Amino acid sequence: MSFEPRIVGILCNWCSYTGADLAGTSRMKYAPNVRVVRVMCSGRMDPTLVLKAFQEGADGVLLAGCHIGDCHYISGNLKTLRRIPLLKRVLVELGIEPERLRLEWVSASEGARYQGVVNEFVEQIRSLGPLDLEARRLPATASAS
Amino acid sequence: MASKIGVYVCHCGMNIAGTVDVPAVIEAAKAMPRVALSKEYKFACSDPGQEMIKQDIKAHGLDAIVVAACSPLMHEKTFRRAVEAAGLNPFLLSIANIREQGSWVTEDPAKATEKAKAIVAGAVFRAARQEPLEMRSVEIHRAALVVGGGIAGIQAALDLADSGIPTTLVERQPSIGGYMAMFDKTFPTLDCSACILTPKMTAVGQHENIKLMAYSEVESVSGFVGNFQVRIRRKAAYVDHTKCNGCGMCMEKCPYKAPSEFDQGLSQRRAIYVPFAQAVPNKPVIDPATCVRFKGKKCKTCIKFCEPGAIDFEQKDSVEEVTVGSIVVATGFQPMDAKKIPQLAYGRHPEVYTALEFERLNNAAGPTQGKILTKDGRVPQSVAILNCTGSRDTNYHEYCSRVCCMYALKYAHLIKEKLHEATVFDFYIDMRCFGKGYEEFYRRLQDEGVRFIRGKAAQVFGGKEYKAIANAAGFIDGLEDHQLVVQAEDSLLGKLIRVPVDMVVLTPAVEARADADEVGRKFLVSRGADGFFLEQHPKLAPVSTTNDGVYIAGACQGPKDIPDSVAQGSAAAGKALGLIARREVEVEGTTASVVDELCSGCKCCLTLCAYNAISFDADRHRSSINEVLCKGCGTCVASCPSSAIKAKHFTDEQIFAEIEGLMSM
């Protein structure tokens, strides 16, 4: 059986979640692999939420918020924009490919963009293969003991 | 933690049940931790659906509810009310969005069902950890702001003011009236535009409840529903309008001229001017780009002739702040620049006009006193009106501008009425006459002998230019140099045609204003792909926006004719009024708060808050959050190194649990 990625999407309420809803009301079909958590603002996207998703077995994490300049809370997305590159370095340290985390801006009117982003990201994760953290942990545990 | 969760999976007719195997989701939910019962229903949002949930809460002592249905943005409020009516705190409800983000976007029923189970599990895990919260009650300021003094804004301001609400109307131009003030007649009734508009303008100017701020712009908006603080910049007019009596001597005597914006550059106005004779307020402003005093010269003409001594070259911009409960944005549209379509020769050939230029040319108060004349003073023998200039064209705007077919018919009628001998050609793709009395008007014009040509005009040539390039097949007998040739494919004949005319009128697309992006950001109103402001729901909330307390009306939301703009102006005023009439509004208590025992006093959060809601208590060495100012974005929560800030209803534990649930299937 082919590998079906399991992806956690964390979307801001005002732009990206609404954009994802718009893709739905417009009946745009896209890959069903992303399971969505709604938060009020991309500024709420705490690195621990991303780590938690990987810990729970997600093969990828998609974060999406309002475009820069359009944040419903003025500047929450800027804070996340700065946070993610650092988080990606942490992922590398943990042995997780940074490409498994993606930050995107999707506005409330961009249903088609959300569809495109999801399809593209699912294919990217599919080509990366399963994350399988258990298997990756072995060498680290061995050196520690 | 909740221990008896009720799960309700909605069929939404076939919207969900058509793709998702609902009984399978029900079975899966029964096996999820702490789920006491799991049921399906055809339409959970219906009265009996809600009643079932209420009964179950009471009968089974459910302590949290999951509704798997449409998006929470659609019906979260509905179900919150239902659980509240059954005595449960509304924040103990969790919505699983299996329609917009499930059944509607997944083709494969097996995959849609699998995804629905995961979404339900996420909601169930989350619901178990949700905590009761109180709604906060906020007083609504009994005042309104209307932005934009076109017909939609005028209507909204009058409706609000007539209901006794103190209303501030802000208009960027020196006078209210908008585009409607420029029109000669209105379709299809052929009412004189000024005759129906100016009484409304005067009413605005004289209304005891309206504070008219013309020549002003909204600089910034802060606050929230019920309590918006709006800073308005009043541009320096260099005329003290409290002293000015509007006699007009200054305008008569001013020696410096500039093209009149109101007349689309077809006439001149002075450096000190009112845009048009019936302007409201009818007080002049000085245009610093034209007045020579701003270029260091010493002209004193206006000062000399102003009897009340109102001219004040020392005047500066002033900023006023108003507090309002609700806002109506009616900032209108702009016509597309016809020069963007070079093959239509606008700007290259003097006898190619835009629609607004033709409105002025045809207006009794316009540059030719309503005589339809070419620029060199001839009476045109033939006029071509070209529809869809930049509309329904993927190179420019994909959408239909909605008003052009009808005003093209109006122009055709007015030309026929004034110049009996003239031939009028109307080039169209489809004739869209959808309103009340519109189709009848089209039929009338067919009877009046207008030549309708079904084909979009591809190119307009100057007569001289055409003669230089035409081959024998395209030779037009008697074509004069000053004439124009319209080339199109007559799609009914399937033939290329070239029509010589004396005048061409374009119908530039109605488009979002160039600064719509900036204005949208000020009022936190988002825009659609076409650039216009986005309503909350295209059918059921056409004048509301996602920003509570801010409404939109008129062509800023999309191309609209006068009746629709007026209807929206009244609708937006009604919504704004309805809000104000409630006196207070409940806002979600989903703010952030500092857990004192965990705060290390590092002050990281202080600079992150965009609303200055966090302050630092130096004595206790702790941060604290003012929950009145807090908007609940959660930025500080995500950034606190000690995890000492808690986002109510979006706590780490709740989101972690949701992720666990989503990944458990």
Side-chain angles (χ1 to χ4, degrees):
Chain A
M1 208 178 108
S2 71
F3 162 59
E4 277 302 331
R6 299 203 307 160
I7 295 168
V8 169
I10 307 181
L11 311 186
C12 85
N13 179 63
W14 302 99
C15 292
S16 303
Y17 195 88
T18 312
D21 273 0
L22 180 65
T25 41
S26 316
R27 310 295 199 279
M28 296 170 179
K29 307 296 178 211
Y30 57 83
N33 308 56
V34 179
R35 295 156 182 197
V36 169
V37 175
R38 180 173 65 111
V39 293
M40 293 314 281
C41 177
S42 53
R44 176 68 184 90
M45 293 172 189
D46 192 328
T48 57
L49 303 182
V50 175
L51 296 176
K52 175 72 177 174
F54 284 125
Q55 188 188 14
E56 291 299 322
D59 300 303
V61 178
L62 172 66
L63 307 178
C66 305
H67 285 272
I68 295 302
D70 290 347
C71 180
H72 186 82
Y73 300 100
I74 303 171
S75 56
N77 53 2
L78 290 174
K79 314 292 187 324
T80 297
L81 179 66
R82 288 192 303 215
R83 233 177 251 149
I84 298 310
L86 193 61
L87 176 58
K88 286 196 171 184
R89 286 176 58 182
V90 175
L91 291 183
V92 173
E93 297 291 316
L94 292 170
I96 299 172
E97 296 90 340
E99 297 79 26
R100 290 186 186 274
L101 170 64
R102 189 186 278 202
L103 174 63
E104 290 280 355
W105 311 125
V106 177
S107 82
S109 56
E110 292 178 329
R113 182 172 153 73
Y114 182 72
Q115 175 193 36
V117 163
V118 167
N119 282 336
E120 201 188 304
F121 189 51
V122 169
E123 283 321 302
Q124 185 180 335
I125 299 298
R126 200 189 296 281
S127 65
L128 282 170
L131 174 58
D132 201 2
L133 270 185
E134 283 301 315
R136 290 175 192 228
R137 207 167 59 178
L138 283 173
T141 327
S143 65
S145 60
Chain B
M1 200 192 290
S3 56
K4 291 181 96 174
I5 303 174
V7 178
Y8 299 87
V9 183
C10 178
H11 288 228
C12 193
M14 289 305 281
N15 282 312
I16 292 170
T19 321
V20 172
D21 180 354
V22 173
V25 178
I26 295 292
E27 284 312 306
K30 280 180 182 159
M32 290 172 198
R34 289 175 283 273
V35 172
L37 67 86
S38 169
K39 288 184 176 176
E40 57 190 300
Y41 203 75
K42 262 244 159 353
F43 290 100
C45 60
S46 66
D47 278 348
Q50 294 184 49
E51 197 51 40
M52 171 180 71
I53 298 173
K54 289 183 209 169
Q55 294 301 332
D56 286 351
I57 291 172
K58 288 176 189 157
H60 302 279
L62 302 176
D63 54 6
I65 297 295
V66 169
V67 178
C70 52
S71 170
L73 307 182
M74 188 84 190
H75 271 313
E76 188 172 49
K77 276 188 185 147
T78 310
F79 292 113
R80 275 187 178 171
R81 274 199 297 269
V83 302
E84 193 172 21
L88 212 56
N89 184 283
F91 289 88
L92 299 173
L93 167 82
S94 183
I95 300 280
N97 180 356
I98 60 167
R99 190 180 75 171
E100 280 84 345
Q101 299 185 16
S103 63
W104 276 352
V105 290
T106 318
E107 260 162 328
D108 180 346
K111 287 179 176 168
T113 306
E114 187 195 359
K115 187 175 180 182
K117 287 179 190 170
I119 297 171
V120 171
V124 166
F125 278 54
R126 187 188 210 287
R129 285 160 187 83
Q130 281 176 198
E131 291 161 5
L133 288 177
E134 294 306 315
M135 296 293 277
R136 281 187 296 148
S137 186
V138 180
E139 198 185 328
I140 293 175
H141 205 86
R142 196 173 167 277
L145 170 74
V146 177
V147 188
I151 184 59
I154 287 175
Q155 183 68 32
L158 285 174
D159 282 0
L160 283 159
D162 284 345
S163 311
I165 305 298
T167 303
T168 304
L169 175 61
V170 177
E171 167 58 49
R172 178 180 280 176
Q173 300 295 329
S175 169
I176 57 169
Y179 288 110
M180 189 178 168
M182 298 175 183
F183 302 162
D184 180 46
K185 296 281 193 300
T186 58
F187 62 75
T189 50
L190 300 170
D191 285 307
C192 153
S193 188
C195 310
I196 55 177
L197 176 66
T198 46
K200 279 189 180 286
M201 291 166 59
T202 313
V204 167
Q206 295 174 347
H207 208 295
E208 56 177 9
N209 288 329
I210 295 181
K211 178 178 178 181
L212 174 57
M213 295 185 70
Y215 212 41
S216 303
E217 288 189 42
V218 171
E219 199 164 71
S220 67
V221 182
S222 59
F224 49 91
V225 56
N227 280 282
F228 293 106
Q229 281 82 43
V230 186
R231 283 170 62 84
I232 303 164
R233 175 174 294 273
R234 197 191 277 272
K235 289 177 267 188
Y238 306 106
V239 177
D240 184 342
H241 286 177
T242 57
K243 289 185 189 164
C244 171
N245 59 13
C247 71
M249 279 301 280
C250 52
M251 293 184 276
E252 213 170 285
K253 301 292 181 188
C254 174
Y256 296 96
K257 292 179 181 173
S260 157
E261 294 85 355
F262 189 77
D263 273 342
Q264 300 294 304
L266 296 174
S267 72
Q268 303 264 302
R269 59 148 172 90
R270 305 301 168 104
I272 181 164
Y273 72 108
V274 293
F276 55 105
Q278 301 94 331
V280 173
N282 207 331
K283 304 275 173 83
V285 299
I286 294 173
D287 160 24
T290 310
C291 175
V292 292
R293 280 184 70 104
F294 292 90
K295 293 166 190 150
K297 298 207 177 127
K298 293 216 169 7
C299 175
K300 278 186 180 171
T301 315
C302 54
I303 301 174
K304 201 161 68 191
F305 285 96
C306 182
E307 212 171 293
I311 310 292
D312 175 10
F313 280 99
E314 301 303 310
Q315 204 175 63
K316 299 267 179 298
D317 287 9
S318 58
V319 176
E320 277 183 47
E321 188 168 307
V322 296
T323 303
V324 297
S326 57
I327 297 175
V328 175
V329 178
T331 47
F333 70 100
Q334 66 182 29
M336 192 184 105
D337 178 5
K339 284 185 186 147
K340 286 184 180 165
I341 313 181
Q343 62 269 33
L344 297 182
Y346 178 72
R348 276 193 289 123
H349 197 290
E351 293 312 316
V352 180
Y353 294 83
T354 65
L356 278 179
E357 286 171 350
F358 188 76
E359 288 286 358
R360 295 313 299 157
L361 196 62
N362 189 48
N363 193 302
T368 57
Q369 288 78 46
K371 293 194 193 81
I372 301 171
L373 295 173
T374 61
K375 293 220 171 74
D376 53 12
R378 286 172 298 110
V379 175
Q381 298 303 305
S382 53
V383 181
I385 305 167
L386 315 188
N387 271 309
C388 297
T389 308
S391 309
R392 304 184 67 196
D393 182 337
T394 48
N395 297 311
Y396 304 97
H397 296 298
E398 208 177 331
Y399 56 80
C400 164
S401 288
R402 283 181 103 239
V403 290
C404 327
C405 283
M406 286 308 297
Y407 73 64
L409 291 176
K410 175 186 77 175
Y411 292 169
H413 171 83
L414 295 172
I415 296 165
K416 281 282 183 190
E417 190 179 64
K418 289 188 177 171
L419 316 169
H420 304 292
E421 303 305 316
T423 316
V424 182
F425 300 92
D426 188 337
F427 291 81
Y428 68 99
I429 309 178
D430 298 292
M431 220 9 116
R432 295 187 161 175
C433 310
F434 46 83
K436 192 172 178 179
Y438 290 10
E439 184 66 25
E440 294 88 328
F441 190 62
Y442 176 32
R443 184 157 289 269
R444 174 175 167 188
L445 266 289
Q446 288 173 323
D447 291 342
E448 285 180 12
V450 174
R451 304 260 198 99
F452 289 97
I453 298 171
R454 187 175 181 274
K456 188 175 174 181
Q459 194 153 6
V460 175
F461 302 95
K464 200 172 173 182
E465 177 194 2
Y466 183 80
K467 280 196 269 190
I469 56 166
N471 55 19
F475 178 75
I476 297 172
D477 195 21
L479 177 69
E480 304 217 29
D481 286 356
H482 60 75
Q483 283 190 298
L484 295 145
V485 176
V486 179
Q487 178 171 289
E489 186 201 342
D490 185 327
S491 63
L492 294 178
L493 296 177
K495 217 171 95 180
L496 186 74
I497 56 164
R498 299 183 182 93
V499 182
V501 290
D502 292 332
M503 185 183 271
V504 165
V505 183
L506 306 178
T507 59
V510 171
E511 64 181 17
R513 293 197 69 93
D515 63 350
D517 191 36
E518 189 194 327
V519 172
R521 222 171 284 165
K522 262 179 208 165
F523 296 96
L524 295 178
V525 174
S526 43
R527 298 194 304 149
D530 51 15
F532 292 103
F533 293 145
L534 203 61
E535 63 283 359
Q536 195 179 27
H537 191 282
K539 293 182 178 59
L540 303 177
V543 296
S544 304
T545 69
T546 48
N547 191 10
D548 277 353
V550 177
Y551 305 96
I552 48 176
C556 65
Q557 181 262 349
K560 231 166 248 87
D561 58 11
I562 294 167
D564 285 2
S565 297
V566 171
Q568 277 208 333
S570 278
K575 296 296 283 183
L577 192 61
L579 179 72
I580 291 170
R582 279 157 57 187
R583 292 168 189 272
E584 51 183 39
V585 64
E586 292 215 308
V587 293
E588 289 187 14
T590 51
T591 50
S593 63
V594 177
V595 181
D596 241 17
E597 302 81 63
L598 294 177
C599 178
S600 66
C602 71
K603 301 186 191 175
C604 282
C605 52
L606 292 179
T607 54
L608 291 172
C609 182
Y611 302 97
N612 296 321
I614 312 180
S615 55
F616 189 72
D617 184 337
D619 292 342
R620 296 192 308 117
H621 204 65
R622 297 277 188 280
S623 285
S624 70
I625 292 173
N626 179 338
E627 294 196 24
V628 175
L629 296 177
C630 175
K631 300 280 183 294
C633 68
T635 299
C636 58
V637 182
S639 309
C640 177
S642 314
S643 297
I645 310 181
K646 187 173 155 182
K648 290 179 194 159
H649 208 55
F650 290 92
T651 64
D652 283 349
E653 293 71 28
Q654 287 162 357
I655 300 173
F656 284 169
E658 189 173 356
I659 293 171
E660 281 168 29
L662 289 172
M663 289 288 110
S664 70
M665 288 283 145

